[in-house]
Amino acid sequence: MVRPVRILWISAVVVNIIGLALFLLQTSPGFSQGFILDVVNIMLLQILGIPSAVLVVASLLLLKYTRKPPGWAGYIGIFIMIGALLWIGGYFLLYARLMLFENVR
């Protein structure tokens, strides 16, 4: 696999993991009452969190066991996966940032 694609893929996985972690930390009420989420955050976690976790696990397995994708179709699949990882991770980061500024006021 081409080195820049591999680096981009790893950075997309890291952004996704950081976004998911910040989402979980920001949406729970300071962990003072335990790990309690409201209905909206539970739905977001089910709709985007489960596919995010599946993409991260699939990406890590593919990064470990795949040396070279089979042709241009493999690279298109990789770029689709990178785009999905960045989109979901960016959404989690944006949502966590909005929750941070909402709780400050």
Side-chain angles (χ1 to χ4, degrees):
M1 182 179 314
V2 181
R3 187 172 175 92
V5 173
R6 191 172 186 85
I7 291 172
L8 180 65
W9 202 355
I10 292 170
S11 63
V13 169
V14 169
V15 165
N16 198 321
I17 291 171
I18 290 172
L20 185 60
L22 285 176
F23 173 79
L24 289 175
L25 288 175
Q26 287 290 60
T27 55
S28 62
F31 290 105
S32 61
Q33 302 166 351
F35 190 68
I36 300 171
L37 297 172
D38 62 345
V39 175
V40 174
N41 294 332
I42 288 174
M43 292 304 295
L44 280 175
L45 196 58
Q46 288 177 351
I47 293 171
L48 294 177
I50 294 171
S52 171
V54 169
L55 282 173
V56 167
V57 169
S59 293
L60 292 176
L61 288 174
L62 285 173
L63 280 168
K64 183 176 180 180
Y65 295 116
T66 303
R67 296 292 174 217
K68 187 173 183 180
W72 60 271
Y75 280 107
I76 289 175
I78 288 172
F79 283 120
I80 290 172
M81 190 176 283
I82 290 171
L85 284 167
L86 289 175
W87 180 77
I88 292 173
Y91 183 80
F92 281 146
L93 287 173
L94 178 66
Y95 192 81
R97 181 176 174 224
L98 291 175
M99 290 297 291
L100 175 68
F101 288 128
E102 180 181 307
N103 292 337
V104 169
R105 293 181 187 166

